[in-house]
Amino acid sequence: MQKIKLYNTATRKVEELTPHSEDKLTMYTCGPTVYHFAHIGNLRTYIMEDVLEKLLRYAGYNVVRAMNITDVGHLTSDADTGEDKMLEGAKREGKTAMQIAKYYTEAFFADCYRLNIKKPEIVVPATDCIPEFIELIQTLFDKGFAYTAGGNVYFDTSKVEDYYCLTGHSADDLMVGVRDDVTEDLNKRNKTDFVLWFTTSKFGEQELRWDSPWGYGYPGWHIECSAISLKYLGEYLDLHCGGVDNIFPHHTNEIAQSEAALGHKWCGHWFHPRHLNDKSGKMSKSKGEFLCVDTLVAKGYKPLAYRLFCLQSHYMKQLVFTYESLDNASSAYDKLLSRVASIKSAAAKENAVADKDKVEKYRARFIELVGNDMNTSLGLTLLYDVLKADIDSVTKLAVIEDFDRVLSLDLVSASEQALETGEDTSQLEELLLKRAEAKKNRDWATADAIRDEIKAAGYAILDTPEGAKLKKL
Ligand code: AMP
Ligand code: ZN
């Protein structure tokens, strides 16, 4: 097992990840709020978390990872006021909250699939864990950390010794993404107290409600991540992930309530990738038009070109999305594939076996570079070094395949078509993506026209379980 160093929000230092137990590393990820499609900013966070999980496995850790799906309780404001986001989605589309949750959960995982983001082994919708939330809230009551006021149940942050332990900053410094126009909740004893269980809501039509010792209602957002993590990953969590906006209040509140219930330190390492924004500032689902994977595919981009775009920058750097930079990543991706294709073609003629020592040497160097605060861009530089290294093609290919366990750019399989035909098929592949989009929109005329265009270029389309593929006629 090789050591991995990572910036820890809680200590403000890059430090070694040290799991609590020897046989596994527990990792928790805040999942999406499924009231709309994930935008490419959200997906940047999930790509970087995916790289981290794969890097840890690559380095030899037995990662056990859980993720929630927020299908109830996430209000449009972090200040415990505003509308429930699921209700907002349901109203917008004239569906029930559960229909909305199912549709957008599936859409989220379809996007993850296209971006090679592995699904965590444990994925739990919040609505599946209501008894666990109630039990945890009851424990907080029993230990004197919860109170009722105006019908809701609140967490009393004044009872916690170091509420701001995650960053050491006060609320005013941490108000990332919290709106100014929210009305103060007069039931709270302290400004930072937060709702554990709602029974009174100005939105009487809130359709998802359950019985509880405190009345018919629904859980607050923060309690779901604590309860799900405790249930599936145990009392000691090694690594907790989420976008930078989750630091406050979400993760700050998770720590407060988890440690209040447990009576000991809960999570050792906090990973917070920075945001991807557009030129106007924040990229957000509530802003109406926003960029998602489908938008990129419709414009002819390969989803994995977007993954490469993300890997080119450090996760701690805020990124501004422009089509110009995506174009650059896109052409870098196509060139990468075609270089791997020629290596593959040369390797097929070599009739040799890979030099294990060399593969091992490169692997150790890769972990050393990428394992130093997840420096994916240095990992890519090493990949380019391998492409031009003076080693045999079979070994080269083995190293590329090995790095791709972490990078997940389909470097060898996606270069297959270029290899089979010896031709640059990138434009036809873009057409394939457009055809998939047309089929999804039941636009059969466009789909047929694209098929004809591809046929005229000398290729048939094979529809396979992994998606459409080109076949030379
Ligand atoms: P949500 O679906 O709003 O709960 O967000 C899902 C994940 O995306 C969370 O980890 C957020 O912190 C993260 N996130 C939200 N906005 C952005 C953004 N513009 N760039 C990167 N990550 C984001
Ligand atoms: Zn969470």
Side-chain angles (χ1 to χ4, degrees), residues 431-463:
L431 279 177
L432 274 186
L433 292 173
K434 282 189 183 148
R435 176 177 166 266
E437 183 61 20
K439 279 175 74 174
K440 205 171 134 198
N441 295 333
R442 301 180 158 269
D443 179 358
W444 310 120
T446 305
D448 288 348
I450 293 176
R451 181 182 284 275
D452 292 345
E453 197 178 335
I454 289 177
K455 198 172 168 194
Y459 287 84
I461 299 173
L462 292 181
D463 283 310

Side-chain angles (χ1 to χ4, degrees), residues 249-390:
H250 185 48
H251 290 166
T252 300
N253 291 347
E254 277 188 46
I255 295 175
Q257 65 201 359
S258 300
E259 296 192 352
L262 290 168
H264 61 70
K265 190 173 158 63
W266 171 51
C267 175
H269 221 109
W270 291 83
F271 175 74
H272 292 112
R274 277 11 187 193
H275 274 186
L276 174 93
N277 294 321
D278 53 29
K279 276 190 188 150
S280 71
K282 197 173 177 254
M283 191 172 292
S284 95
K285 292 188 209 179
S286 49
K287 259 175 44 177
E289 220 257 329
F290 57 85
L291 291 171
C292 46
V293 177
D294 276 345
T295 326
L296 302 186
V297 170
K299 288 182 189 290
Y301 293 100
K302 292 182 182 127
L304 292 183
Y306 177 65
R307 185 173 173 111
L308 177 64
F309 167 81
C310 292
L311 300 190
Q312 287 169 332
S313 299
H314 196 261
Y315 73 92
M316 285 293 279
K317 245 175 54 190
Q318 191 176 305
L319 260 185
V320 176
F321 177 83
T322 62
Y323 279 107
E324 201 185 356
S325 38
L326 185 60
D327 283 339
N328 290 337
S330 224
S331 91
Y333 184 57
D334 287 340
K335 280 192 195 129
L336 203 48
L337 292 187
S338 97
R339 288 177 75 178
V340 176
S342 18
I343 293 169
K344 194 168 179 190
S345 162
K349 290 175 200 140
E350 267 172 15
N351 195 20
V353 286
D355 180 335
K356 275 195 187 147
D357 287 348
K358 278 194 186 132
V359 176
E360 210 38 58
K361 235 174 82 192
Y362 273 113
R363 156 201 275 277
R365 181 75 184 133
F366 186 82
I367 298 181
E368 200 182 325
L369 292 174
V370 187
N372 186 9
D373 200 18
M374 239 182 66
N375 199 325
T376 46
S377 70
L378 280 186
L380 290 170
T381 307
L382 185 64
L383 173 70
Y384 283 108
D385 288 347
V386 172
L387 293 180
K388 52 177 195 271
D390 188 17

Side-chain angles (χ1 to χ4, degrees), residues 28 30 68 221 225 240 250-251 254:
Y28 184 84
C30 287
N68 66 306
W221 171 36
C225 288
H240 195 310
H250 185 48
H251 290 166
E254 277 188 46

Side-chain angles (χ1 to χ4, degrees), residues 29-46 49 70 74 85 108 221 241-247 251 272-278 281-285 306 319:
T29 301
C30 287
T33 309
V34 284
Y35 73 113
H36 218 317
F37 292 110
H39 57 61
I40 58 170
N42 301 128
L43 290 161
R44 177 195 191 197
T45 293
Y46 292 109
E49 293 168 351
T70 301
H74 193 176
K85 289 189 177 182
F108 172 72
W221 171 36
C241 316
V244 67
D245 58 308
N246 284 164
I247 295 177
H251 290 166
H272 292 112
R274 277 11 187 193
H275 274 186
L276 174 93
N277 294 321
D278 53 29
K282 197 173 177 254
M283 191 172 292
S284 95
K285 292 188 209 179
Y306 177 65
L319 260 185

